[in-house]
Structures are given as C-alpha cells and as structure tokens.
C-alpha cells in the first residue's frame, strides 16, 4: 500500500467513526427529543438543523469520505490481495452504499420535503410525526451502523495488512 493511501486510510478510520457518532446522536436522542417538542417545534428545529448541516466541517468529512472510500476500494482492488484487500475494499463499499447512498436516496429527499412544508399547516405535523420521524430515523440508523462497520472493517484491514507485511 502506498504511504499516502496508508495514512489516508488511518485518517478515514477516525473520520468514519466521527461521522457515525454524529448519526448516532441523532438516532439515539436528538430525534426522540425533537419528537417530544409540542406543536411544530420539532419540525422547525429539524428544518434549521438541515440548513446548518452544510457547514464546512461536517460536509468536508461526509463528502471527503465518499472520495476517500472510492480511493480505498480502487486501491484495494488493484494493488492489494487476500484478507487486507477484501476488508479495506468492503469498508469503502459499506460507507459508499450504507452511508453516502442512503443519505442521497433517502434522508436528503425527506429533508427537502420537510424544508418545503409550511409549519402552519396541519399536514406538516402529520408528515413530521407519521412519516419523517420514523423513516428518517430508520435510515439514519442504517447510516450509523454503516459508518461504525466501515471504521471496524478498515481498522481490521489495516491490521491484517500490517501483519501480512511482517517477516
């Protein structure tokens, strides 16, 4: 493994865990807390959160990991073999499919739908409690698990790679 990709992979382990931690907080207590706010307060708070998430720190990690994951998959497929290749490539694929793709296909469209709703409408409360909260939280939990699994697989892959290179 090239030194650049090797160090990038180590940073990715931490970044996968950090992004997964953000998602875990939402699945574990933030969404539950927002569901307990009376009236349209929870929906309004989530609308604000969805606008504020575009700050550079989270988006750099989230989008950067998609690119890094693709590099890891390609590098493992082309230059590595055996268990390290399988673990490292799988880590990248788990992030790309279980986190990035889930976000694009499920969570973002729900966020956009919520953003377009008028908080004064009764249909907004119905969407918030009947659709958004359960579905968004389910897919967010999938993202949480994917990030944790990607971090573990990549860590195991780097360990296996180190052991394979020892005399």
């Amino acid at each position: 493994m090239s030194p650049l990709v090797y160090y990038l992979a180590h940073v990715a382990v931490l970044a996968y865990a950090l992004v997964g931690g953000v998602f875990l907080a939402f699945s574990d207590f933030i969404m539950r807390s927002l569901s307990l706010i009376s009236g349209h307060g929870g929906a309004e708070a989530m609308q604000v959160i969805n606008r504020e998430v575009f700050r550079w720190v989270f988006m750099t990690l989230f989008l950067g990991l998609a690119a890094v994951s693709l590099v890891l998959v390609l590098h493992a497929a082309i230059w590595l073999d055996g268990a390290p290749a399988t673990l490292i490539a799988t880590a990248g694929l788990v992030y790309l499919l279980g986190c990035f793709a889930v976000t694009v296909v499920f969570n973002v469209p729900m966020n956009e739908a919520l953003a377009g709703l008028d908080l004064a409408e009764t249909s907004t409360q119905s969407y918030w409690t009947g659709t958004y909260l359960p579905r968004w939280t389910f897919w967010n939990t999938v993202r949480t698990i994917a990030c944790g699994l990607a971090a573990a697989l990549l860590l195991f892959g780097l360990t296996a790679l180190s052991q394979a290179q020892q005399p």
Side-chain angles (χ1 to χ4, degrees), residues 3-167:
L4 176 63
V5 175
Y6 183 76
Y7 291 116
L8 190 63
H10 280 80
V11 171
V13 171
L14 178 61
Y16 285 149
L18 286 170
V19 170
V22 170
F23 294 146
L24 175 63
F26 273 86
S27 287
D28 185 43
F29 60 88
I30 293 173
M31 296 308 287
R32 187 173 53 251
S33 297
L34 293 179
S35 75
L36 298 174
I37 297 173
S38 63
H40 295 290
E44 182 179 14
M46 194 64 183
Q47 286 176 334
V48 173
I49 289 167
N50 288 335
R51 287 190 301 269
E52 292 298 313
V53 76
F54 291 103
R55 294 202 182 260
W56 75 270
V57 174
F58 181 76
M59 291 309 289
T60 299
L61 284 172
F62 179 73
L63 295 173
L65 279 173
V68 168
S69 295
L70 187 56
V71 167
L72 292 172
V73 169
L74 293 174
H75 189 81
I78 295 168
W79 286 289
L80 301 177
D81 58 9
T86 301
L87 290 164
I88 292 169
T90 303
L93 288 172
V94 165
Y95 181 83
L96 287 169
L97 297 174
C99 181
F100 190 78
V102 164
T103 300
V104 171
V105 173
F106 298 106
N107 294 87
V108 169
M110 284 186 274
N111 291 345
E112 290 172 352
L114 183 66
L117 295 178
D118 181 353
L119 294 172
E121 299 284 329
T122 56
S123 60
T124 299
Q125 187 65 24
S126 287
Y127 177 74
W128 170 248
T129 58
T131 303
Y132 189 91
L133 279 168
R135 289 184 186 165
W136 192 95
T137 304
F138 171 80
W139 289 112
N140 188 68
T141 302
V142 169
R143 297 187 301 178
T144 303
I145 293 166
C147 286
L149 184 58
L153 287 166
L154 186 52
L155 183 61
F156 295 149
L158 290 168
T159 301
L161 182 65
S162 295
Q163 290 174 348
Q165 293 175 346
Q166 291 179 356

